[in-house]
Amino acid sequence: MARLATKRAKPEGQYYVTDSNCQNFLSALGVRELPGIGRKFHKKLESHSIETVGDLLLYSLPWLQKEFGEKSG
């Protein structure tokens, strides 16, 4: 969370993610901004119309693991 908030903070310098805004902050975040999501994996997600973390949350863990592998899913 700290890493993601730091990216959002630029150029103002600070961005606070609180318990109350955590879900909204993550849901609106593009999946490409998540650590470990490179170009190839992003293309795989795009092929399933997954663009944001909110889109990603619509899928179950077993489905994600089946589609993208146990570790990545």
Side-chain angles (χ1 to χ4, degrees), residues 1-32:
M1 282 305 242
R3 183 176 180 182
L4 296 172
T6 300
K7 284 183 178 183
R8 172 67 66 83
K10 294 176 181 176
E12 287 86 35
Q14 293 183 350
Y15 184 82
Y16 296 104
V17 179
T18 62
D19 289 341
S20 62
N21 75 352
C22 182
Q23 177 106 15
N24 291 336
F25 171 72
L26 287 175
S27 291
L29 199 64
V31 290
R32 185 70 168 93

Side-chain angles (χ1 to χ4, degrees), residues 35-60:
I37 304 292
R39 284 180 291 176
K40 286 175 102 176
F41 195 52
H42 184 244
K43 289 288 182 195
K44 289 180 186 179
L45 292 169
E46 268 186 331
S47 72
H48 293 285
S49 300
I50 300 172
E51 291 290 330
T52 66
V53 174
D55 296 337
L56 193 61
L57 291 171
L58 297 174
Y59 294 90
S60 69

